[in-house]
Amino acid sequence: MLQEISISNLGVITQATLPLGPGLTVVTGETGAGKTMVITAVALLLGRRADAGAVRSGAKHALAEAVVHLDPDHPVLEAASQAGAFIEPADGHSELLLTRSLSAQGRSKATIGGRSAPVGLLGELGADLVAVHGQSDQIRLKESGAQRDALDRFAGDGFSRTLSRYQRTYRQWREATRQLASLKQDSRDRMREAENLRLALDEIDSLDPQPGEDEQLREAATKLGNVESLRSAAAQARGVLDSEDFESPGITTLIETARGVLAQAGSDDPALQSFADRAAELGILASELSSDISGYLADLDEEGPERLAQIEVRRAELGKLLRKYAPSIDEVLSWAQSSRSRLDELGGDDTRIAELEEQSSTLGDEVASLAADLTKARTRAAKMLAKRVSEELTALAMPDARLVVEVNELDEPGAYGQDTIAMLLAPHAGAAPRPLGKGASGGELSRVMLAIEVVLAAVDPVPTFVFDEVDQGVGGKAAVAIGERLAMLARHVQVIVVTHLPQVAAYADRHIRVIKNSDAGAQSGKGFTASDVLALDEGERVRELARMLAGQEESDTAQAHAEELLADAQQLVDSLASTPVGK
C-alpha cells in the first residue's frame, strides 16, 4: 500500500506530504484548493502521461514521490529488483521508493528504488499497485473493452490462464495464417516466374546454342558474303606461288632455282651449302602454302549461297535469344544455368504451403475450442457478477436497480476471444435494461463503478484504490450509502478518496484537508496561490465536515450535524472491526 506521498511544485501545491496508511483516507478541500493534484501526483507515479502545464507557475520542475509498503513476496518487488531497484526491508514488509519528476519544458524522469528507470516501467508496476478511478473512468466504463476487462477480472485466475493460453494460440494462428496468405500470394507470383523460366529454358534448349557459336557464325557469314573477292585473292596468291610461265615463273620455281645454284657451289664453301638448305626449307613452306590455298579455293567452291542462307537462318534464331536474355550466346548459356537453379528453388513452395495449411488448420481448431471455453466461463461469471453488483447497488440506495451482463458471440475470433461484453442497467423497477453509456446518469455510473470495484476487490484486489470524486452527482441517502461501501471496501484494500461529500468523508480512517493559501501568492508578488495539506485530528474533522455541510465550520448547528455523521459512521466502522484490513 501507499505509505506516504510527497508533492513539490505541482499545480497550486508548493510542498506537501500526505501521510497514508491502511483503511480509508479521504482528501477534502474547497474548489480550486488543489485536491486534484493528489490524483495527478498518483497518476505521475503510475507512469501516466505528463503535462508540463501541471508544473507550478514559476517553478523549474515538479516532483512526486511515494513510499510503498509491500509484502516481501509481492511480484512488484521482483520486477523492481530486476530493474536494479534498492528495496529497504522493514518490519514484516519491504519498502520501495518511487519518484517522478517533470520539468516545465515537459521532460520527465522516473526512479524506482533509487535507480533511474523508464517511465513505462512505472506504468507496469503501477498496474499491480494502484487502481485509479475518476470521472474519466466512468466514461471508460461505457466502453465494451472496459466492461470485458471488469468481467474477466471477476472470472478469476483460472479464466486468466485460459485467456493467456488463448491469446498465445491466437497469435500463433494469426501468424501462420498471415504467412500462408503471403506465401500463396507470393506463390502466384512465383508460379508465374517459374512458368516464364520454363518457357525460356525450353526455347533455349530447343535451339541448343553452343559456346561462341554466335561469333563463329558471324565470321562464316562475313566470309561467304565476300566469296568472289576471296576466291580472286586466293587464286592470285596461288598463281604467284606456282606460276609455270617461263617469263614470269612462280615463287616456288624461283626458290628451287636458287637452291640448286647454291647447292652446286656448296661443295666449295659450307656457308653456301647452309644457304642452300635454308632455300630448301623456303621451298617446302612455299609449297605447303600453295597447297593450303588450293584447299581453301576448293572449300570456297563447295560453300555456296545455300550455305550462307543456312548460316543467316541460324543467326536469326540465335538473335532472338540475344534480344531476350543476354547480349552474347555465352551469357545466354550462363543465364540459363542460373535460371535452372532458380527454377529448382521455386519448386519448394508447394511443400511449405502444405505445412502452413496444416498448421493453420490445427491452430484454428484450438483457437475455436479455447474461445468456446472463454465464452462458457464468461457466461457463468457474467451471471454471478450481475447478481453481486445488483446486490451492491441495493446497498448503494438503488434498491430496484439491476445490472445485466450480456455475453454475445462475434462472427470471428479476436485478441480476447469471440465475445463482446455489454453491461446494461435497469435503474428502476420495470425499466428495460439499457447500455451504461445511454441509460445511466453520472451519479448512477458512479455507484455502478463503485459496486463493481467492491465486488472485484474480493476476488482480484490491487493493494490500493484511488477514487477521484466518483461520488459526483449523488447526495442524501445515496451519498451515505457510498460512504458505507467505501468503508467496506477499505476493509480489504487501501482506499484513498477525493470527495466533496461530508457523508463520504465521515467514514474515513484518516482525513486530509487541502487548504488554499491566497496570501502566499500575494506576498510573493507573482499573482498565484498556494495550498497547504493538513492531516486533521478529530476536532478539525468536525469543523471540516461542518464546512462541507453548510459552509460554516464554526456553526454550532453544522458542527452538531457533523458530529452526528461521524457517530453514525463510527457505528458501521465498529461493526466491521472484525474484518481484517487489507494491506
Side-chain angles (χ1 to χ4, degrees):
M1 66 180 179
L2 297 177
Q3 188 67 18
E4 182 180 275
I5 295 177
S6 298
I7 303 171
S8 299
N9 296 322
L10 192 63
V12 295
I13 297 179
T14 304
Q15 183 72 41
T17 298
L18 281 72
L20 304 173
L24 175 61
T25 298
V26 299
V27 180
T28 63
E30 295 180 2
T31 301
K35 302 186 300 297
T36 302
M37 288 302 104
V38 176
I39 304 301
T40 300
V42 173
L44 287 173
L45 291 167
L46 296 181
R48 304 281 179 87
R49 183 177 179 275
D51 181 5
V55 178
R56 178 174 168 77
S57 178
K60 293 182 178 180
H61 66 274
L63 179 68
E65 186 176 76
V67 177
V68 184
H69 286 182
L70 296 169
D71 291 334
D73 59 350
H74 198 284
V76 164
L77 295 177
E78 181 179 356
S81 179
Q82 291 177 355
F86 177 74
I87 299 170
E88 183 75 24
D91 297 336
H93 61 264
S94 296
E95 184 174 288
L96 180 65
L97 180 65
L98 306 178
T99 66
R100 177 89 177 272
S101 64
L102 173 63
S103 74
Q105 290 75 36
R107 292 187 296 272
S108 175
K109 294 182 180 179
T111 68
I112 299 174
R115 296 291 297 272
S116 294
V119 173
L121 182 57
L122 272 183
E124 294 176 13
L125 300 184
D128 292 326
L129 289 176
V130 182
V132 179
H133 297 283
Q135 294 300 311
S136 62
D137 296 276
Q138 293 183 26
I139 296 173
R140 193 175 68 89
L141 191 61
K142 300 176 182 179
E143 300 172 356
S144 178
Q147 296 173 8
R148 182 198 61 239
D149 290 343
L151 177 60
D152 289 355
R153 286 171 57 197
F154 179 76
D157 292 340
F159 178 88
S160 179
R161 288 190 293 270
T162 302
L163 179 59
S164 296
R165 182 183 170 191
Y166 168 85
Q167 291 178 324
R168 183 171 58 253
T169 306
Y170 176 77
R171 288 191 297 268
Q172 294 171 347
W173 173 63
R174 286 292 301 271
E175 178 61 20
T177 303
R178 184 197 65 78
Q179 290 185 19
L180 179 61
S182 176
L183 190 56
K184 283 184 174 180
Q185 176 63 42
D186 293 344
S187 179
R188 286 189 286 270
D189 296 336
R190 289 158 73 97
M191 286 176 64
R192 286 191 291 269
E193 181 185 357
E195 182 61 24
N196 290 335
L197 288 178
R198 277 191 289 269
L199 291 173
L201 291 172
D202 288 344
E203 182 181 17
I204 294 172
D205 291 344
S206 67
L207 293 177
D208 191 23
Q210 300 302 310
E213 185 179 1
D214 53 338
E215 286 299 316
Q216 295 170 6
L217 291 175
R218 184 186 62 80
E219 294 173 359
T222 301
K223 171 183 173 181
L224 293 175
N226 298 281
V227 65
E228 291 304 324
S229 61
L230 295 175
R231 182 183 288 112
S232 176
Q236 290 179 18
R238 187 181 64 178
V240 170
L241 289 171
D242 291 340
S243 175
E244 296 179 356
D245 189 334
F246 180 77
E247 294 181 356
S248 300
I251 290 175
T252 54
T253 300
L254 293 175
I255 291 175
E256 180 57 27
T257 301
R259 186 200 64 78
V261 172
L262 292 171
Q264 288 178 1
S267 59
D268 297 329
D269 187 348
L272 292 179
Q273 182 59 48
S274 173
F275 293 154
D277 293 341
R278 291 170 64 185
E281 292 175 359
L282 285 175
I284 294 172
L285 290 174
S287 178
E288 290 177 349
L289 177 58
S290 176
S291 177
D292 289 343
I293 291 175
S294 297
Y296 176 79
L297 285 169
D299 290 341
L300 284 180
D301 291 337
E302 292 179 359
E303 295 181 347
E306 293 182 0
R307 174 57 181 160
L308 178 60
Q310 293 173 356
I311 289 174
E312 292 300 340
V313 170
R314 179 64 172 172
R315 291 185 71 193
E317 292 174 342
L318 296 181
K320 295 179 182 179
L321 303 184
L322 300 181
R323 287 192 297 271
K324 290 183 178 180
Y325 307 116
S328 71
I329 288 299
D330 286 349
E331 290 174 288
V332 168
L333 294 173
S334 176
W335 180 87
Q337 182 179 3
S338 62
S339 295
R340 294 184 204 281
S341 299
R342 174 62 175 164
L343 192 58
D344 291 339
E345 293 177 6
L346 295 173
D349 280 357
D350 292 343
T351 300
R352 179 58 178 159
I353 288 176
E355 291 174 352
L356 283 173
E357 285 178 337
E358 182 178 358
Q359 182 181 5
S360 179
S361 176
T362 300
L363 289 171
D365 291 342
E366 188 173 355
V367 164
S369 176
L370 289 171
D373 292 342
L374 292 178
T375 299
K376 292 178 182 177
R378 281 185 173 130
T379 301
R380 290 193 299 267
K383 294 178 180 179
M384 185 60 67
L385 178 63
K387 178 177 180 294
R388 293 187 183 179
V389 171
S390 296
E391 292 171 352
E392 287 295 326
L393 290 175
T394 298
L396 288 169
M398 295 176 67
D400 298 320
R402 177 168 57 92
L403 183 73
V404 177
V405 183
E406 293 183 348
V407 180
N408 300 308
E409 186 175 358
L410 296 169
D411 294 335
E412 298 289 338
Y416 295 91
Q418 202 165 345
D419 308 316
T420 180
I421 308 303
M423 290 186 179
L424 303 94
L425 179 68
H428 311 292
R434 298 188 63 193
L436 291 181
K438 297 181 180 180
S441 66
E444 289 169 341
L445 270 178
S446 297
R447 282 176 279 179
V448 170
M449 187 174 68
L450 178 57
I452 290 174
E453 290 298 354
V454 169
V455 172
L456 292 180
V459 295
D460 182 30
V462 293
T464 300
F465 284 80
V466 178
F467 294 93
D468 181 16
E469 297 190 356
V470 294
D471 48 17
Q472 185 172 348
V474 299
K477 292 183 178 180
V480 173
I482 287 178
E484 291 178 352
R485 305 322 282 180
L486 287 170
M488 293 181 64
L489 179 61
R491 299 305 97 190
H492 299 281
V493 294
Q494 181 187 39
V495 179
I496 302 170
V497 181
V498 176
T499 182
H500 66 283
L501 291 179
Q503 297 95 325
V504 172
Y507 288 90
D509 297 299
R510 194 171 296 95
H511 192 150
I512 295 173
R513 181 184 179 187
V514 181
I515 304 173
K516 183 187 298 185
N517 184 356
S518 300
D519 292 340
Q523 293 170 2
S524 66
K526 295 184 179 180
F528 53 82
T529 61
S531 293
D532 294 329
V533 177
L534 302 175
L536 305 182
D537 58 23
E538 287 302 314
E540 291 168 334
R541 286 190 70 192
V542 170
R543 287 191 291 275
E544 173 63 2
L545 291 180
R547 181 196 66 79
M548 297 171 71
L549 283 164
Q552 299 175 347
E553 56 264 42
E554 302 302 329
S555 165
D556 292 339
T557 302
Q559 288 189 15
H561 190 183
E563 290 173 348
E564 183 180 359
L565 275 179
L566 287 171
D568 291 342
Q570 188 61 46
Q571 289 182 1
L572 176 67
V573 171
D574 291 342
S575 69
L576 297 174
S578 59
T579 303
V581 177
K583 294 184 179 181

